[in-house]
Amino acid sequence: VFRLRGKGSAKPILFLAHLDVVEARREDWTVDPFKLTERDGWFYGRGTTDIKDEAADLVTNLIRLKRERYVPERDIIVALTDDEEGGDDNGAQWLLANRPEWIAADYAINLDAGGAQMQNGRRLRNPVQTSEKIYATYLFEVTGPGGHSSLPERTNTIYSLARGLDRLSEYAFPVRLTETTRGFFDRLGAQIGGETGHDLQAIAAGRADSAAIERVSQTPVYNSSMRNTCVATMLQAGHAENALPQRAQATIQCRLLPDESPAAIRDTLARVAGDTAIKVTILGQPEGAPESPVNPQVMTAVEEATHALWPDVIVLPVMDAWASDAVRFRRAGMPTYGVSGMFYDIDDVRAHGRDERVLVEAFYQGVEFTYRLMKGLAGSH
């Protein structure tokens, strides 16, 4: 945890990034995943987009501000944590539980959320994340007596589970927007234009017909922004090829709207499965957090820093479908906003994947963006 002392005219601002990354296997990559490689205008390596690039960004700017003898109106705090990617000793959680005074702030800026977007080389959007969906996992399970495979019965745990999964595949949760997703669809629709843009704005205004909703639902990122989603991700059944299956299980991974009840979704899944033989349970304890209110000061500072570098890029609120440490800070009562000025190609997302990379130009521009954002939020004196 680092602190650049200010004049104390207002409460501090906390900037967040995590240092850990997901695993990578050398044989899967064209370069060494754990050695930074510059090639053809790109930086390659595990963490170049998630999110060692942003950790380097924050440290670089703290050094720059210190060398400039910059004294902000309020303290700037930077926390670099570990185990965000699923470890057993999450650093953000530890700070909140054991050293809350180190990170006490008016609000947090989480560089592991949002994400500036480009397509075909054109910079399009710089979203501000105000919320994220709840990560919730459920188990579908069917059990039976089993028996010899030469004497099959009409009931079969695998068949029962398969029929329930088929019914789930046909189900779509109702459309339900939040303040954030309503603003997201409206601003995005205005930028895109055409039929898709009209559909997005109609959904934002609550006047879309079923045909418009169906068209928008075909794009996964739009679909996940306007409803809960649940999908089967793992299957396990039987214990021997010559025995009737005594057990069949399916893991159902859901991303729920911020104010959703995981227990209510369990009941919905049981109803959709349509068979009392299918037992539906929640795995673990899903953690959700309320949506942070759209903060005019944050939005204005992001817009000013964005337009100084990329005049045509729009800034809009967004609800992320994936998870970050932001949920921990929101649950603790600290408004948190996900902002990243490092652009990624929406058609070539490699975070957690093979040959993860960031454009060299995008990295250095992103560092400059964060410098401007820090000064815009903390006061430039």
Side-chain angles (χ1 to χ4, degrees):
V1 178
F2 308 87
R3 182 184 296 260
L4 182 64
R5 301 261 177 207
K7 298 179 180 179
S9 301
K11 292 181 179 179
I13 302 173
L14 173 64
F15 288 82
L16 302 169
H18 65 83
L19 292 167
D20 61 309
V21 297
V22 298
E23 189 53 80
R25 298 190 303 178
R26 177 64 183 89
E27 59 267 28
D28 294 337
W29 286 53
T30 60
V31 297
D32 185 340
F34 293 106
K35 179 180 179 181
L36 184 66
T37 301
E38 183 175 354
R39 187 177 72 185
D40 301 327
W42 297 86
F43 284 135
Y44 286 83
R46 176 59 88 222
T48 50
T49 60
D50 189 10
I51 62 165
K52 286 184 179 292
D53 56 332
E54 297 289 16
D57 172 3
L58 288 174
V59 172
T60 296
N61 280 308
L62 280 179
I63 294 170
R64 179 178 177 182
L65 293 172
K66 183 68 173 177
R67 285 176 174 169
E68 292 176 352
R69 301 182 185 277
Y70 169 71
V71 181
E73 292 295 321
R74 52 169 79 186
D75 291 3
I76 294 175
I77 306 171
V78 170
L80 304 179
T81 64
D82 63 355
D83 283 345
E84 190 274 345
E85 296 291 1
D88 296 327
D89 188 19
N90 180 275
Q93 185 174 343
W94 186 91
L95 282 171
L96 288 165
N98 297 280
R99 295 292 186 272
E101 69 277 9
W102 291 2
I103 53 174
D106 192 11
Y107 55 82
I109 302 295
N110 179 24
L111 275 66
D112 186 32
Q117 302 169 4
M118 64 182 178
Q119 189 173 35
N120 298 323
R122 180 191 172 199
R123 286 161 171 76
L124 300 172
R125 298 176 285 275
N126 195 12
V128 177
Q129 189 236 56
T130 65
S131 58
E132 57 188 46
K133 298 181 89 172
I134 302 170
Y135 184 105
T137 304
Y138 299 82
L139 184 70
F140 279 17
E141 184 177 39
V142 185
T143 58
H148 202 287
S149 63
S150 66
L151 302 171
E153 300 177 358
R154 290 185 178 275
T155 59
N156 183 296
T157 59
I158 291 177
Y159 297 159
S160 296
L161 179 63
R163 286 190 289 266
L165 293 176
D166 187 54
R167 286 187 284 269
L168 176 64
S169 74
E170 298 293 329
Y171 179 74
F173 285 88
V175 172
R176 186 162 66 85
L177 302 186
T178 67
E179 178 191 5
T180 292
T181 51
R182 190 172 294 108
F184 171 73
F185 277 169
D186 185 53
R187 293 295 308 278
L188 186 62
Q191 182 188 50
I192 292 176
E195 182 181 55
T196 299
H198 181 271
D199 288 345
L200 290 170
Q201 290 190 303
I203 291 173
R207 51 179 172 77
D209 59 21
S210 58
I213 292 172
E214 178 59 27
R215 287 192 294 270
V216 169
S217 298
Q218 300 307 307
T219 301
V221 68
Y222 301 156
N223 182 63
S224 67
S225 296
M226 64 184 181
R227 53 165 54 106
N228 299 312
T229 62
C230 290
V231 61
T233 57
M234 297 174 66
L235 284 171
Q236 184 177 0
H239 65 282
E241 67 177 62
N242 59 349
L244 300 177
Q246 297 175 31
R247 187 181 308 273
Q249 299 176 327
T251 300
I252 311 299
Q253 222 291 297
C254 299
R255 301 301 171 108
L256 312 179
L257 297 173
D259 59 351
E260 192 61 81
S261 163
I265 295 300
R266 178 196 57 207
D267 295 341
T268 298
L269 291 174
R271 175 176 57 80
V272 171
D275 187 341
T276 56
I278 301 176
K279 181 182 178 182
V280 182
T281 56
I282 304 175
L283 298 182
Q285 296 179 321
E287 290 188 350
E291 184 172 86
S292 296
V294 176
N295 185 318
Q297 181 193 30
V298 172
M299 297 300 291
T300 297
V302 174
E303 287 174 349
E304 289 177 350
T306 299
H307 294 157
L309 298 171
W310 313 287
D312 296 329
V313 171
I314 66 170
V315 174
L316 70 172
V318 70
M319 174 187 69
D320 281 347
W322 42 86
S324 76
D325 279 332
V327 68
R328 303 180 188 277
F329 288 87
R330 292 189 181 114
R331 285 173 64 87
M334 186 184 297
T336 304
Y337 303 95
V339 184
S340 170
M342 294 192 190
F343 283 81
Y344 70 91
D345 191 324
I346 60 176
D347 296 322
D348 185 29
V349 180
R350 301 193 183 189
H352 292 203
R354 176 178 178 267
D355 286 352
E356 184 179 350
R357 66 183 186 176
V358 62
L359 274 171
V360 173
E361 178 188 52
F363 171 74
Y364 286 114
Q365 287 181 346
V367 173
E368 178 65 21
F369 167 83
T370 301
Y371 171 79
R372 292 170 183 257
L373 180 63
M374 282 180 157
K375 297 186 75 172
L377 290 172
S380 52
H381 294 282

